[in-house]
Amino acid sequence: MAKPQHILQLSEEQRSSFVGSFDRVLSDIDGVLWTMEHNVPRAADGYAALERNGKHLTFVTNNSVRTVDQCIRRFAKIGMQVQPEQIWHPAQSIINYLRGINFQGLIYIIASPPFKAVLREAGFQLLDGPNAFIEDNFESLAKNIFDKEPVRAVIIDVDFNLSSPKMLRAHLYLRHPECLLIEGATDRLLPVAKGVNIIGPGAFASILVEASGRQDRCITLGKPGRELGHLIVEHYKIDQPSRVLMIGDMLAQDIGFGRQCGFQTLLVLSGGCTREQLLAETDPRHIPDFYADSMADVAQLLGEAPKAHV
């Protein structure tokens, strides 16, 4: 497979061909527009330039800790007016999926309070916990992980209070062959500062997937989940996947998602992937078609003059 090209090193003919080759943009958020430390300079200008060129923008995030409303307020702070329907959030994707299969029944959930609130507001019946400290003996453990509740789906996403009893309880529910296993965010590592990663929800979800023997039956509704791709393609009635551009900062989650769906892919180096990591990548499923230092390069590509800094 050919090495990815930097968009500012394309010839005039290549630039024109690239810009005319897609109509819809799907974009990650964290690491592309902002990080935990700062906003990415001129990222908003890149999206404004895309819109001025007639591209339809949709944001697909694996960050379920931040609600859609919080995302919209954060966008506004950098001068972007984004509508709720432009944001694909793991909790909302799961709701869309469950409604699509007409799911009925009790859900055991490992996730953040805002994530649970979204599902409850959508009318789903949730069970969670244990949320309190349990004693270090088998009797206490057994009391908290064994029950006869008719759970028909287990959902796992980001939970900053994840515990062994929660995982054990989820695993026990999954003994029922008809109980679904659904995961949201799949990130195995989360970049929280320059050069600093923490273990992400994907690593914990993998433990549950392997322990329950659901390797081929886990429904993944965060990137790079195949089921998420199906939802998006169906929702937007995408009949030419090659005319969609996926933008992101992570090789496995963003680029892997885009390539799996048949989209074009653009990696930006403003977040979780360095140029060295990009050039060292050998898995063709994770190698983008193009790369850029940041979304500011997209603004430059589309002829937007840099704004003067006061």
Side-chain angles (χ1 to χ4, degrees):
M1 182 176 176
K3 289 186 177 181
Q5 293 179 282
H6 194 293
I7 59 172
L8 296 185
Q9 294 176 353
L10 299 175
S11 68
E12 284 298 321
E13 183 179 348
Q14 288 173 321
R15 290 187 185 199
S16 177
S17 175
F18 170 57
V19 174
S21 68
F22 60 92
D23 311 300
R24 179 175 295 280
V25 172
L26 302 180
S27 177
D28 184 33
I29 297 176
D30 293 275
V32 180
L33 283 141
W34 52 71
T35 67
M36 287 187 70
E37 299 174 303
H38 65 271
N39 294 328
V40 176
R42 295 197 65 226
D45 294 347
Y47 292 99
L50 286 167
E51 285 194 303
R52 280 192 285 272
N53 278 266
K55 312 303 181 184
H56 301 282
L57 304 182
T58 302
F59 297 92
V60 185
T61 180
N62 272 6
N63 186 341
S64 58
V65 177
R66 184 187 297 116
T67 66
V68 170
D69 286 344
Q70 288 171 334
C71 280
I72 290 171
R73 290 196 293 272
R74 184 74 185 266
F75 275 119
K77 287 182 179 179
I78 60 171
M80 293 180 64
Q81 302 305 311
V82 175
Q83 302 303 312
E85 57 269 22
Q86 288 179 270
I87 299 174
W88 281 74
H89 181 283
Q92 191 59 52
S93 298
I94 288 173
I95 288 170
N96 292 347
Y97 177 82
L98 292 175
R99 285 175 172 165
I101 63 171
N102 193 29
F103 177 84
Q104 304 289 327
L106 185 61
I107 297 170
Y108 177 71
I109 188 165
I110 300 173
S112 66
F115 192 107
K116 296 173 191 174
V118 172
L119 266 73
R120 286 195 177 100
E121 288 167 10
F124 293 101
Q125 185 182 0
L126 305 183
L127 189 67
D128 63 9
N131 296 310
F133 176 80
I134 69 170
E135 296 178 26
D136 287 327
N137 58 63
F138 182 76
E139 289 76 18
S140 178
L141 176 66
K143 188 171 66 175
N144 281 281
I145 67 172
F146 289 100
D147 67 36
K148 296 182 180 179
E149 294 285 356
V151 169
R152 288 298 171 260
V154 169
I155 294 175
I156 181 167
D157 192 75
V158 177
D159 181 357
F160 291 154
N161 291 286
L162 180 65
S163 65
S164 172
K166 289 181 181 180
M167 294 287 281
L168 295 174
R169 191 174 178 186
H171 178 238
L172 289 171
Y173 289 133
L174 290 167
R175 291 182 303 172
H176 193 293
E178 294 181 7
C179 183
L180 303 176
L181 175 56
I182 300 173
E183 65 174 330
T186 62
D187 310 64
R188 301 185 72 85
L189 290 173
L190 296 175
V192 295
K194 193 170 183 61
V196 179
N197 294 328
I198 61 173
I199 297 174
F204 301 114
S206 292
I207 294 171
L208 202 52
V209 169
E210 182 179 348
S212 62
R214 300 296 184 99
Q215 287 89 340
D216 299 322
R217 292 182 294 137
C218 179
I219 300 156
T220 304
L221 291 163
K223 296 170 296 181
R226 192 176 301 275
E227 292 84 3
L228 175 62
H230 292 330
L231 280 179
I232 291 175
V233 166
E234 183 178 326
H235 181 82
Y236 294 111
K237 298 179 172 55
I238 296 171
D239 56 5
Q240 289 183 278
S242 63
R243 292 199 62 81
V244 177
L245 177 67
M246 177 71 210
I247 301 174
D249 69 308
M250 301 289 279
L251 293 173
Q253 277 72 30
D254 300 318
I255 303 308
F257 176 68
R259 295 195 66 82
Q260 178 176 256
C261 294
F263 304 151
Q264 295 186 65
T265 53
L266 170 65
L267 179 81
V268 291
L269 303 177
S270 51
C273 181
T274 65
R275 187 173 184 275
E276 291 72 27
Q277 289 170 324
L278 167 62
L279 296 179
E281 181 60 61
T282 57
D283 188 336
R285 296 172 300 173
H286 299 161
I287 297 175
D289 298 301
F290 304 94
Y291 75 101
D293 293 344
S294 75
M295 285 301 295
D297 289 345
V298 174
Q300 186 175 337
L301 178 82
L302 296 175
E304 303 288 329
K307 293 180 179 178
H309 293 284
V310 180

